[in-house]
Amino acid sequence: MRDRRPFSLKDLALINKDESFNFREFKFAQTMIFAINEINKNPEMLSGVRLGYKIYDNCGTMDILRAALALVSGLKEDVGDVGCTDTEAVQAILGHSGSSPTIAFSQIVGRFHIPVISHFATCACLSNRREYPTFFRTIPSDYYQSKALAKLVRHFGWTWVGAVAVDNEYGLNGIMAFIQAAEEYGVCIEYSEAFSSSDPPHVVQRIIETIKQSTSKVIMAFMSHREIKIIASELYKQNITGLQWIGSDAWITDSSLTDSEGHTILVGSIGFTVGKAKIPGLEEHLRQLHPSQFPNSQFVKDFWEEVFDCSLNETVNTQRQPCSGLESLQTVKSQFTDVSELRFTNNVYKSVFAVAHALHHIIKCDDDNKEPFSNRSCFDPKHIQPWQTLQNLNRVNFTTVDGERVYFDSNGDSPARYELVNLQITERGNVEGETVGIYDSSFPNDHQFIMNNIPVVWANGLLEKVPVSVCSNKCLPGTYKVLQKGKPMCCHDCVPCPAGEITNLTESLQCFKCPPEYWSNNQRDACIPKPDSSSWRH
C-alpha cells in the first residue's frame, strides 16, 4: 500500500437500461463520489486513510450477481479510483435501489461478512437477520411504511379500499403488510391485484376493468414509477377519473411522473416518503461534472450525450451532432442538477458516511477494536477486514450536517420518519409533492401521524373535501346492521327496528324492546308511553 493507505469502498450504483437514461441512479452515483471526496478532505476522519470506490452500472439480476461476486472475490484489477490498486478486501457495498436485486445478492455477500447498505430497498423481508445478516439501510423498512399508510387510511375514514401492487418482493410484501395493518383498523379491501411492467397488455386491462367495476374510491398502489405510469396512462385513455390514489414511497415523489401520459390522473395522490434534506456543496459538485473527469466511463458519456443531445468523439452514435466541447452543466436546469428535493439522494450520502464512521471507530482503536490474541494493541489499518466494518456499523451513531441523527437498530433498520406528501400541479405545470403531514414511529402511538394546515388536493383535483370510500353507509339510530352474505364485514344493510323495538345508537348491531307500558316512535329511536286505553272508551 502507499503511504496514504487507501481503502476501497466499492459501490453498486445500478442503472436501468430499459429507460433512455436513468438520471436518478446517475445522481445517486455522483452523490456517493461527492460524499467520499468530502470524507477524504476531512482531516478529522480516518486519520489520513482515504476511501476509494468502484461503480457498477449493470442491470438485470444475473449482471448484478456477477458484479457482487466480482466485489467479494477481491479482483485487484476491478478496484477503481484514487490509487486503491493494492487493496483486495472491499469494505462495504452500497446499493441496490430496488428490493428484488438487493435480496438477490445480499444473501451471497452475507456469507463473506461484507456489509450491504441500501438507500432505497425497503422490503420488510430484508430485516430478517438470519437471511440477511450483513444488510443495513438508510431508508425505513416497509413494515413502518405499511403501518403509517394504514393509519392514514383510518384517519380519513376510508374503510373500503382497493389495492394494486407490482408483482415482486417489494410490491407483494408491502401490500400484504398494508392489508394486514389496515384490517386491524377495521378497513376492508375490495380487491387486491398485482402485475409487472413486463406483463402483456391483457393483464393490465384486466386490472383496469376491476377498478372500473369496483365501488371503492380509494386505491393503495404499492409499486414503482414504471407500473403506476402504465396504470395512469390506461385510466387516462379511458377517461376514468375521480379516484383517490395512495402511493408508496417508490413513486409518490418520482420526478418522471410529470413527463408521463396521463399524469393528471395522479394529481391529488397522497403517500409517505423520506424527508427532504440539504447537502451543502452537492450542487456545485454536480454542476462541475465533465466527461474529461471520467474518460473511461460509459455511464458519464451516456449522461452527457442525453443532456446535451450531442455525440462525443469516442461514441458510435451518428444520429447526433458532435459535441462542441463548450457544453457545461453550470446553467442547465435538470433533474440531475436540482437539489431542492434531496430525499433518497440524502440516503446515499448517509450510507457513505455510515461506512466512514464505522471505519473511523476501527482506526481510532477504542476498546472494542483491539486485536485479540496478539502482541499488537490495535488492528493494522492496512489490513482491516469487512467483518470489522460490519461489527462497527452496528455502533454507528452520528448527526449529519443537516441535523439528522443516523443509526441502525438490531435488524440494520433506520428510524422510521416520513413526510406525507400530496401531489399537486405547480404554476409551471409540473407534478410535485407538497408536504401536508408527518409520521414518526418514535412518537407515542396516538401522536405518530400529524397533519399540518396546508390545503390538500383530492382525487385529480375534482373534489374540494376528503373523498368518501365506504362499502355501506353508517346505520343511523332506528336501524341495525345486518352483514351482507359473502361480503367483507364493512358491507352491511341497515334494517329498521321492528315495531315495539328501538335503538338510539349509530351502527347498532341490535334493537331493544320497549318496556310493556311503552311503544316505539315512528323513527324507532325512542320509546314513548302507550296511549291510555280508558280514553278510547269515553
Side-chain angles (χ1 to χ4, degrees):
M1 277 199 166
R2 301 181 182 180
D3 291 338
R4 60 182 183 179
R5 298 178 300 182
F7 282 106
S8 173
L9 173 61
K10 297 183 181 177
D11 176 79
L12 290 181
L14 308 175
I15 184 171
N16 184 342
K17 299 282 187 178
D18 295 332
E19 302 180 39
S20 57
F21 191 86
N22 195 322
F23 286 91
R24 185 186 71 183
E25 295 297 322
F26 186 66
K27 190 172 186 175
F28 289 164
Q30 287 298 318
T31 301
M32 182 208 70
I33 295 172
F34 170 75
I36 289 175
N37 290 341
E38 289 287 292
I39 293 163
N40 287 341
K41 290 188 298 185
N42 188 345
E44 297 182 1
M45 290 198 73
L46 303 181
S47 302
V49 172
R50 293 174 60 84
L51 299 178
Y53 60 88
K54 174 72 176 181
I55 297 175
Y56 288 81
D57 59 340
N58 300 8
C59 67
T61 301
M62 290 310 298
D63 285 338
I64 292 168
L65 289 174
R66 288 191 195 100
L69 289 172
L71 287 165
V72 301
S73 64
L75 297 178
K76 292 183 181 180
E77 62 269 23
D78 267 347
V79 182
D81 222 50
V82 286
C84 295
T85 54
D86 293 330
T87 185
E88 296 184 13
V90 59
Q91 295 301 318
I93 298 174
L94 306 188
H96 181 282
S97 290
S99 291
S100 294
T102 305
I103 289 167
F105 73 77
S106 287
Q107 285 181 312
I108 296 173
V109 170
R111 296 172 186 172
F112 296 88
H113 307 290
I114 298 174
V116 174
I117 310 177
S118 177
H119 49 280
F120 214 161
T122 57
C123 181
C125 58
L126 286 161
S127 298
N128 186 334
R129 269 294 184 242
R130 287 188 178 182
E131 295 288 329
Y132 312 99
T134 69
F135 178 76
F136 297 81
R137 53 182 151 203
T138 51
I139 187 170
S141 161
D142 280 340
Y143 169 81
Y144 297 104
Q145 182 181 190
S146 298
K147 278 186 166 296
L149 290 166
K151 284 193 174 185
L152 173 72
V153 169
R154 180 186 68 168
H155 176 83
F156 290 116
W158 298 326
T159 57
W160 192 230
V161 176
V164 185
V166 56
D167 191 6
N168 62 20
E169 287 88 348
Y170 169 73
L172 298 179
N173 281 279
I175 207 69
M176 182 174 64
F178 165 75
I179 291 173
Q180 182 178 355
E183 287 179 343
E184 291 176 2
Y185 290 133
V187 177
C188 295
I189 307 302
E190 183 179 13
Y191 58 86
S192 181
E193 299 283 353
F195 77 105
S196 171
S197 57
S198 59
D199 282 344
H202 71 84
V203 175
V204 177
Q205 288 303 321
R206 176 178 56 79
I207 294 174
I208 298 298
E209 283 302 312
T210 299
I211 294 173
K212 287 169 62 176
Q213 295 174 19
S214 68
T215 57
S216 56
K217 300 301 180 184
V218 174
I219 306 175
M220 175 68 233
F222 227 106
M223 55 187 62
S224 77
H225 60 96
R226 288 181 292 275
E227 291 78 30
I228 195 63
K229 287 177 186 176
I230 293 172
I231 292 287
S233 176
E234 287 301 317
L235 292 174
Y236 178 75
K237 291 174 184 176
Q238 299 186 37
N239 196 28
I240 303 170
T241 60
L243 296 172
Q244 178 60 50
W245 290 90
I246 305 174
S248 61
D249 59 358
W251 69 266
I252 194 64
T253 56
D254 194 285
S255 58
S256 66
L257 294 178
T258 297
D259 302 325
S260 62
E261 180 185 28
H263 66 272
T264 53
I265 291 290
L266 301 175
V267 173
S269 299
I270 58 174
F272 291 104
T273 188
V274 297
K276 289 185 287 188
K278 294 181 180 180
I279 304 177
L282 178 61
E283 182 178 8
E284 290 77 6
H285 170 83
L286 298 177
R287 290 192 179 279
Q288 289 170 6
L289 177 68
H290 192 273
S292 60
Q293 299 167 341
F294 305 93
N296 299 320
S297 173
Q298 189 61 44
F299 207 4
V300 175
K301 291 177 182 177
D302 291 343
F303 163 78
W304 201 257
E305 292 184 343
E306 185 72 19
V307 170
F308 295 106
D309 194 25
C310 64
S311 176
L312 293 167
N313 293 335
E314 295 85 356
T315 66
V316 294
N317 190 338
T318 57
Q319 297 178 344
R320 288 170 165 158
Q321 295 294 321
C323 297
S324 67
L326 300 177
E327 294 81 11
S328 170
L329 292 171
Q330 291 296 334
T331 57
V332 169
K333 290 185 178 180
S334 73
Q335 177 187 344
F336 177 74
T337 56
D338 183 8
V339 296
S340 62
E341 290 270 336
L342 296 179
R343 297 182 186 272
F344 306 108
T345 302
N346 185 47
N347 289 347
V348 177
Y349 186 76
K350 291 187 295 184
S351 296
V352 178
F353 270 84
V355 176
H357 277 273
L359 290 170
H360 187 71
H361 281 309
I362 301 170
I363 293 168
K364 76 176 185 179
C365 191
D366 55 22
D367 290 339
D368 292 329
N369 286 293
K370 299 227 174 140
E371 190 168 6
F373 314 116
S374 171
N375 292 329
R376 293 181 297 181
S377 60
C378 292
F379 289 101
D380 183 353
K382 296 181 181 180
H383 300 97
I384 292 177
Q385 296 301 309
W387 66 264
Q388 296 169 264
T389 307
L390 172 64
Q391 186 180 70
N392 281 274
L393 272 170
N394 290 302
R395 303 173 55 214
V396 161
N397 193 331
F398 65 95
T399 302
T400 67
V401 292
D402 204 37
E404 183 178 357
R405 187 176 163 213
V406 179
Y407 63 94
F408 304 104
D409 67 14
S410 59
N411 294 321
D413 288 327
S414 291
R417 294 185 289 261
Y418 298 104
E419 290 182 1
L420 178 65
V421 297
N422 176 224
L423 296 190
Q424 303 182 5
I425 293 285
T426 66
E427 294 180 354
R428 295 173 295 172
N430 296 333
V431 177
E432 291 184 3
E434 181 72 42
T435 300
V436 296
I438 62 166
Y439 177 89
D440 193 323
S441 64
S442 67
F443 292 172
N445 191 50
D446 292 339
H447 298 86
Q448 292 177 341
F449 176 45
I450 303 170
M451 293 288 293
N452 60 28
N453 295 321
I454 295 178
V456 176
V457 174
W458 299 108
N460 314 140
L462 300 178
L463 298 177
E464 295 183 357
K465 58 183 181 179
V466 179
V468 176
S469 188
V470 296
C471 183
S472 303
N473 291 321
K474 289 184 177 181
C475 291
L476 301 175
T479 65
Y480 67 100
K481 290 171 62 172
V482 176
L483 296 182
Q484 296 177 1
K485 190 175 182 179
K487 294 286 189 71
M489 63 178 292
C490 300
C491 303
H492 58 262
D493 294 317
C494 297
V495 180
C497 292
E501 298 183 15
I502 65 101
T503 177
N504 58 4
L505 304 175
T506 301
E507 295 284 80
S508 180
L509 297 177
Q510 60 181 329
C511 297
F512 304 93
K513 287 188 176 182
C514 293
E517 64 275 17
Y518 287 84
W519 194 246
S520 56
N521 63 0
N522 290 335
Q523 293 77 29
R524 302 293 197 268
D525 58 2
C527 292
I528 57 176
K530 289 181 178 179
D532 186 354
S533 60
S534 64
S535 65
W536 299 351
R537 295 194 295 266
H538 291 287

